[in-house]
Amino acid sequence: GRRDEIDGAIQAWESDLERLRVALANAPEAVNARHHAGFVDLYREKEVVKSRWETIRGVYQPDAQAVRRFEEAFASMAAAWARAQPMLAEVLAGAAS
């Protein structure tokens, strides 16, 4: 159950980040400039989570330190995602209009 939950969260983040990337690329320069660094940081956090998850996902008894590092990265990404909601709302709303 937890594996499916984590896979789903990572896939949702990837999908939304792709939509955000495209919207930023097509946004006015001022919007792109305002959110570029935040997007890059968020994308990097997602890549860390995904890489750490891939390290332990299929392992029968993963290393405890690797699990801890993944859990820290997952919590950090979840917090970063919550903080990024205003950016997502602004950029994706602009893309829809």
Side-chain angles (χ1 to χ4, degrees), residues 9 16 19 36 38 44 53-54 62-63 65 71 75-76 83 88 94-96:
D16 287 347
R19 288 179 38 229
H36 178 75
R44 184 177 54 248
W53 177 237
E54 289 172 349
D63 176 69
Q65 183 177 8
E71 289 172 350
S76 178
R83 287 189 308 272
L88 277 99

Side-chain angles (χ1 to χ4, degrees), residues 3 55-63 67:
R3 180 185 296 192
T55 298
I56 65 170
R57 186 180 188 278
V59 177
Y60 178 65
Q61 291 183 323
D63 176 69
V67 172

Side-chain angles (χ1 to χ4, degrees), residues 7-92:
D7 285 340
I10 292 170
Q11 289 172 353
W13 288 331
E14 287 181 321
S15 176
D16 287 347
L17 282 168
E18 179 61 15
R19 288 179 38 229
L20 182 60
R21 182 190 67 77
V22 170
L24 275 173
N26 292 302
E29 187 58 37
V31 173
N32 191 316
R34 184 168 54 251
H35 294 298
H36 178 75
F39 171 78
V40 170
D41 290 344
L42 194 60
Y43 195 90
R44 184 177 54 248
E45 289 239 17
K46 188 272 304 177
E47 284 298 306
V48 169
V49 168
K50 185 176 179 180
S51 296
R52 290 183 181 174
W53 177 237
E54 289 172 349
T55 298
I56 65 170
R57 186 180 188 278
V59 177
Y60 178 65
Q61 291 183 323
D63 176 69
Q65 183 177 8
V67 172
R68 182 185 52 75
R69 290 182 70 218
F70 162 74
E71 289 172 350
E72 289 170 354
F74 191 86
S76 178
M77 178 60 187
W81 193 254
R83 287 189 308 272
Q85 290 309 298
M87 172 180 57
L88 277 99
E90 176 187 349
V91 174
L92 295 177

